[in-house]
Amino acid sequence: MAKKEHKRGKGEGTIYQRPDGTWAAQVSTGHDPKTGKLKRRTFYGKTRAEVAQKMSKAVNDVNTGTYSDPSTITLEKWLYDWLEGKINIEEESRQLYNDTIRQHIAPEIGKKKLADIRYRDIQTFITNKSINGRLDGRGGLSPKMVRRIYRVLFAALKQAVKERLVTYNEADGIELPKAVKHDVKTLSIEEVTKFLTFIKEHPNYVAIRLDLYCGLRRGELLGLRWKDIDFKNGVINITQQIVTSKKIKGLKTTSSKRAVTLYGNIIDLLKEHKKQQNEFKLLLGTSYQKELDLVFCHKDGSLISPKVFYNQYKALLDQAGLDSISFHALRHTAATLMLEAGIPAKTVQEILGHSTISTTLDVYGHVTPKMQTDAAIKMNEIISI
């Protein structure tokens, strides 16, 4: 049995470790107006730091007169309290959760008391989001978006159960819209040729050309540094990314950190791109942000926002007379062209940075008309009797 570890300080309550290894914190929140007895609130979490943060907030709320008794707290307040108390979360994810609460959950059912939320309330809410949940009023949200909203709500209520604010997670067992698996959109080789020909003089040509060559994720492409490129051996090392918040971060998984071999004119294009970039360095002098060492950047060396880059890409597609497809579709296109060319799926997996080959086959393993034709020709050669 784990030994309880107590720590008390003035105004901060008690923190201790429970027998199951999790942590709990208790803090006084005032007196019951009817009985005069001291009321205490208990918080639970996986780490000491987590419960200490929750307790500290409660103490501050009590001292500033903003504390809400659990029996009166609204779902909206609990959602924001829950989000504020999460410590092991990326800033981008925190912002995404916050937007989900603010835009979708709070306006619909946020004013209800947490203790009064029932299964039927949540099911009706989820169903309505599927039918008429778009913020612009143009119909329902996609199954993917509805599921994202549900996950936030479920996680918050799950924590409420842990903290004894409610006895049961009313979001458990909710019927969700079925996930729709969309066909992977790609460019044909004819469309790739048309696109690259049209944008050949555009500043983003080399970036898009490289992406079609090896299927980098957008953040990986924009995060590529010159020191990551080994021109002598023809290799680029994928080690970092630029996220939507315009920050440079490391890659999340070991498989994402990878080396991709370059060959032929793509190397020459990168060398020419570097030469042009060096000219801007000389022109701008100390104003150039050379410390970032980015391959694809603004003329002053500063990073390009993924959103800005995406908008430029979409505009180029439109100007080239091609259908509007996501930038991620270039990654799909690269993978499909590799598979059509007969490159083994295992090699494609390593180039794309997938953790398992099953991911590669699930997403890109569809049979294209060209692959069907090639298979038919080969089988005809094998069975010729």
Side-chain angles (χ1 to χ4, degrees):
M1 180 180 290
K3 183 179 179 182
K4 285 188 177 182
E5 179 183 318
H6 293 269
K7 180 180 179 182
R8 296 188 181 188
K10 185 177 179 181
E12 72 168 10
T14 304
I15 296 177
Y16 61 90
Q17 191 168 24
R18 305 170 75 206
D20 63 0
T22 59
W23 289 80
Q26 290 186 329
V27 62
S28 300
T29 59
H31 292 81
D32 189 306
K34 294 182 179 179
T35 65
K37 292 183 178 180
L38 187 67
K39 294 196 297 184
R40 293 179 68 78
R41 172 87 179 274
T42 304
F43 300 94
Y44 301 90
K46 294 181 180 179
T47 65
R48 191 183 193 286
E50 183 180 350
V51 296
Q53 182 178 0
K54 292 175 181 177
M55 187 178 67
S56 177
K57 182 179 184 306
V59 169
N60 181 69
D61 289 346
V62 169
N63 292 336
T64 58
T66 58
Y67 177 77
S68 297
D69 187 272
S71 62
T72 63
I73 189 173
T74 63
L75 174 63
E76 179 178 8
K77 186 175 189 315
W78 168 246
L79 287 167
Y80 285 120
D81 286 350
W82 162 76
L83 182 57
E84 186 177 344
K86 289 183 72 65
I87 55 176
N88 296 319
I89 182 173
E90 293 283 345
E91 191 57 39
E92 278 190 303
S93 297
R94 187 182 297 278
Q95 185 59 53
L96 182 63
Y97 288 3
N98 185 79
D99 291 344
T100 299
I101 294 168
R102 177 177 56 82
Q103 296 176 345
H104 295 286
I105 305 177
E108 301 283 338
I109 55 176
K111 301 307 178 186
K112 283 181 172 290
K113 289 183 180 179
L114 177 63
D116 293 340
I117 289 289
R118 294 294 178 264
Y119 175 93
R120 180 49 51 191
D121 298 321
I122 298 174
Q123 183 63 74
T124 300
F125 165 69
I126 291 296
T127 301
N128 288 341
K129 283 294 171 184
S130 299
I131 298 172
N132 192 32
R134 285 176 59 107
L135 298 178
D136 59 8
R138 297 168 58 187
L141 295 171
S142 67
K144 181 179 179 180
M145 186 62 196
V146 173
R147 285 171 174 266
R148 178 192 296 172
I149 294 170
Y150 170 76
R151 285 195 297 269
V152 172
L153 191 53
F154 181 90
L157 292 177
K158 182 179 180 180
Q159 186 62 36
V161 173
K162 288 182 179 179
E163 297 191 19
R164 310 298 195 270
L165 297 177
V166 293
T167 57
Y168 180 75
N169 188 342
E170 297 289 344
D172 193 18
I174 292 295
E175 183 178 351
L176 299 172
K178 292 182 179 180
V180 178
K181 188 173 182 179
H182 297 284
D183 292 335
V184 175
K185 293 183 178 180
T186 62
L187 296 175
S188 66
I189 188 61
E190 293 78 18
E191 289 172 323
V192 167
T193 302
K194 178 181 179 181
F195 188 38
L196 291 177
T197 301
F198 180 81
I199 67 171
K200 199 160 189 177
E201 302 304 319
H202 193 275
N204 292 345
Y205 169 72
V206 179
I208 293 173
R209 174 70 178 79
L210 178 63
D211 203 73
L212 283 164
Y213 179 90
C214 54
L216 300 182
R217 299 176 179 92
R218 180 179 54 177
E220 295 170 346
L221 181 70
L222 296 178
L224 188 64
R225 296 167 296 186
W226 287 114
K227 71 176 183 179
D228 297 325
I229 302 179
D230 181 351
F231 283 109
K232 181 179 179 181
N233 295 305
V235 173
I236 57 173
N237 295 290
I238 314 303
T239 60
Q240 67 174 23
Q241 62 181 327
I242 294 178
V243 296
T244 52
S245 57
K246 295 188 287 187
K247 294 180 181 178
I248 298 175
K249 290 188 176 183
L251 302 177
K252 291 183 178 180
T253 63
T254 303
S255 57
S256 293
K257 299 175 183 177
R258 61 201 188 276
V260 178
T261 301
L262 303 178
Y263 180 80
N265 62 0
I266 190 66
I267 297 177
D268 296 330
L269 286 171
L270 285 167
K271 287 181 177 179
E272 180 61 27
H273 181 69
K274 183 175 177 62
K275 179 182 176 182
Q276 293 177 5
Q277 195 178 96
N278 285 337
E279 292 175 359
F280 281 108
K281 284 183 183 180
L282 290 173
L283 184 64
L284 295 177
T286 56
S287 297
Y288 191 90
Q289 298 185 35
K290 62 180 181 180
E291 67 279 357
L292 295 179
D293 192 36
L294 295 173
V295 176
F296 304 114
C297 53
H298 290 297
K299 290 182 179 180
D300 64 353
S302 60
L303 63 82
I304 299 175
S305 160
K307 185 176 181 180
V308 169
F309 187 78
Y310 179 75
N311 289 338
Q312 291 174 345
Y313 157 76
K314 295 285 277 190
L316 288 172
L317 274 179
D318 182 60
Q319 293 165 21
L322 295 170
D323 291 340
S324 179
I325 56 174
S326 70
F327 188 82
H328 203 71
L330 298 189
R331 178 171 164 86
H332 295 329
T333 298
T336 301
L337 292 177
M338 290 180 207
L339 292 170
E340 283 186 344
I343 297 174
K346 181 63 178 176
T347 303
V348 176
Q349 172 207 336
E350 293 172 352
I351 293 173
L352 296 176
H354 287 154
S355 57
T356 65
I357 196 169
S358 61
T359 301
T360 309
L361 294 175
D362 286 346
V363 179
Y364 306 107
H366 57 287
V367 180
T368 68
K370 182 180 183 302
M371 293 166 74
Q372 287 269 24
T373 301
D374 289 346
I377 293 173
K378 288 179 181 178
M379 289 305 295
N380 181 66
E381 293 172 352
I382 293 171
I383 307 174
S384 58
I385 297 176

